[in-house]
Amino acid sequence: MDSPACFQVIYKHVGQQKIDVDVYLPSSQISKRPVLINIHGGAFMLGSSKMVNRHQVQDFLNRGWIVLAPNHRLCPQVNLLEGPIQDCRDLLAWVYDGGLEREINETACYPRYRSCLCFWHVLGRHSSPLLVPRPVAGIYDMYGPCNFSDSFWTTKLPHLKVPAGLSESFMNKVFEECPVPITGGVSLEGQSTGPPDFSDPRQAYALMRLANGTLLDAIFPSKDWDVVDPARNISPYFPPTFIAHGTADSKVPIGLSRELLRILKDHGVHCGMSEIPEEDHTFAAKMQVGSRTWELQRLGFDFLESLI
């Protein structure tokens, strides 16, 4: 299928740097529409707004939702809290303060959208959407990392094949990128862009860190998990949350999401989980519309819609 049409706007400035978001609008122009923020994955170091699943975006548009696919600053030059999480928080603040509505109404192609925002949903492949100061209406967490003190996060992953001979000096060129990148490398989810390119220092650095069990050292060296781990930030007032996770996930074990679900239930949070049989991490990259995997992960969309 062709990619749904979108336009790009700036939601944040960091000095001279502009951080943008892709805006997808449903075809019919009526007021009071839900907004879904679709945050790409990539171990906080890779990916971009263009690497979200176009079939999922179209499903949201068919439901009459406005879809935002943002870029955010990538680790490791900036840490997880000050980069990806802060940018996602600032995107939400921009939407709440009327930035999205102003951009839509000032765009000549969309003059009839007025008062278009009413509910906020978040679809995310990492923990950023779970840690926002002003609650959203609901969260759909697709195989996102959590429970950062779990021993898994320091475990080597030998099944991730990284070429021998990658030097530290080569991979550390990632720290020379200026300004801090907001797009980078291969997709670890969404639309597949082919195999990793180990001639790119950013891709080599990220995948080496994943393989060696040192990802968290790279993205959040302070290890103050209380401020970035969604599992440590659940309360009875946490937004309703749905989780989808593949039972064969080899990059983020499903047990981490099962534990998050337990914590949500213990706090009385409205929640649910879809365990996707035999699927590995980033199954969104290859799932076919109408397949069992598609229908099971789509339960998360129905969960969000039930909150409206």
Side-chain angles (χ1 to χ4, degrees):
M1 66 172 288
D2 295 331
S3 296
C6 68
F7 65 98
Q8 192 176 77
V9 299
I10 306 303
Y11 72 89
K12 178 176 179 175
H13 291 81
V14 180
Q16 298 299 311
Q17 184 179 24
K18 299 176 180 179
I19 305 179
D20 54 54
V21 57
D22 291 341
V23 180
Y24 299 83
L25 298 177
S27 56
S28 60
Q29 298 184 9
I30 62 174
S31 63
K32 298 296 183 184
R33 289 194 175 279
V35 175
L36 182 135
I37 299 175
N38 187 351
I39 302 171
H40 71 81
F44 307 104
M45 293 185 279
L46 300 169
S48 78
S49 62
K50 297 295 187 286
M51 297 178 185
V52 295
N53 187 290
R54 64 183 184 272
H55 297 292
Q56 289 182 317
V57 171
Q58 189 60 59
D59 193 311
F60 306 143
L61 295 175
N62 292 345
R63 295 169 189 253
W65 302 352
I66 296 170
V67 180
L68 305 183
N71 284 313
H72 58 69
R73 287 171 294 165
L74 300 173
C75 302
Q77 296 101 311
V78 63
N79 70 43
L80 171 59
L81 179 62
E82 295 171 357
I85 290 179
Q86 188 59 54
D87 291 348
C88 289
R89 288 175 170 175
D90 289 340
L91 173 64
L92 275 170
W94 175 78
V95 175
Y96 278 125
D97 292 341
L100 172 60
E101 190 166 9
R102 286 191 297 272
E103 290 288 348
I104 291 174
N105 293 336
E106 290 172 5
T107 300
C109 296
Y110 310 102
R112 289 180 289 167
Y113 273 94
R114 290 291 184 271
S115 302
C116 55
L117 315 178
C118 59
F119 285 90
W120 327 100
H121 298 318
V122 174
L123 167 65
R125 273 75 169 185
H126 56 59
S127 65
S128 296
L130 302 181
L131 296 168
V132 294
R134 185 172 175 181
V136 294
I139 294 168
Y140 182 11
D141 170 25
M142 292 193 72
Y143 40 76
C146 59
N147 295 296
F148 292 140
S149 59
D150 190 278
S151 61
F152 164 77
W153 293 109
T154 56
T155 301
K156 292 185 177 182
L157 303 179
H159 59 279
L160 293 182
K161 304 301 182 183
V162 179
L166 292 173
S167 69
E168 289 293 326
S169 60
F170 167 72
M171 291 186 289
N172 284 341
K173 289 181 179 180
V174 70
F175 293 100
E176 299 173 7
E177 296 176 278
C178 185
V180 176
I182 61 172
T183 66
V186 68
S187 175
L188 296 186
E189 55 83 30
Q191 300 308 302
S192 178
T193 57
D197 177 8
F198 288 100
S199 68
D200 172 11
R202 173 165 291 275
Q203 295 183 53
Y205 179 93
L207 292 166
M208 179 67 80
R209 288 286 190 167
L210 282 167
N212 287 347
T214 57
L215 170 66
L216 297 185
D217 290 336
I219 66 173
F220 201 63
S222 76
K223 296 182 172 61
D224 184 6
W225 306 132
D226 287 342
V227 298
V228 297
D229 189 344
R232 298 192 185 197
N233 286 271
I234 307 300
S235 76
Y237 308 104
F238 200 78
T241 299
F242 191 91
I243 304 167
H245 210 126
T247 61
D249 197 318
S250 59
K251 294 186 179 72
V252 179
I254 192 172
L256 299 179
S257 282
R258 289 169 176 163
E259 176 63 11
L260 179 60
L261 181 71
R262 183 194 66 77
I263 296 170
L264 289 164
K265 288 180 175 180
D266 286 350
H267 285 85
V269 177
H270 179 38
C271 59
M273 181 171 175
S274 183
E275 298 195 4
I276 316 298
E278 302 174 4
E279 290 289 1
D280 199 348
H281 197 65
T282 70
F283 59 77
K286 62 182 187 301
M287 63 183 175
Q288 300 296 313
V289 174
S291 66
R292 177 180 65 169
T293 292
W294 171 263
E295 294 302 330
L296 287 174
Q297 62 86 37
R298 199 167 180 263
L299 295 176
F301 308 163
D302 297 337
F303 178 89
L304 293 181
E305 192 162 37
S306 74
L307 304 175
I308 300 172

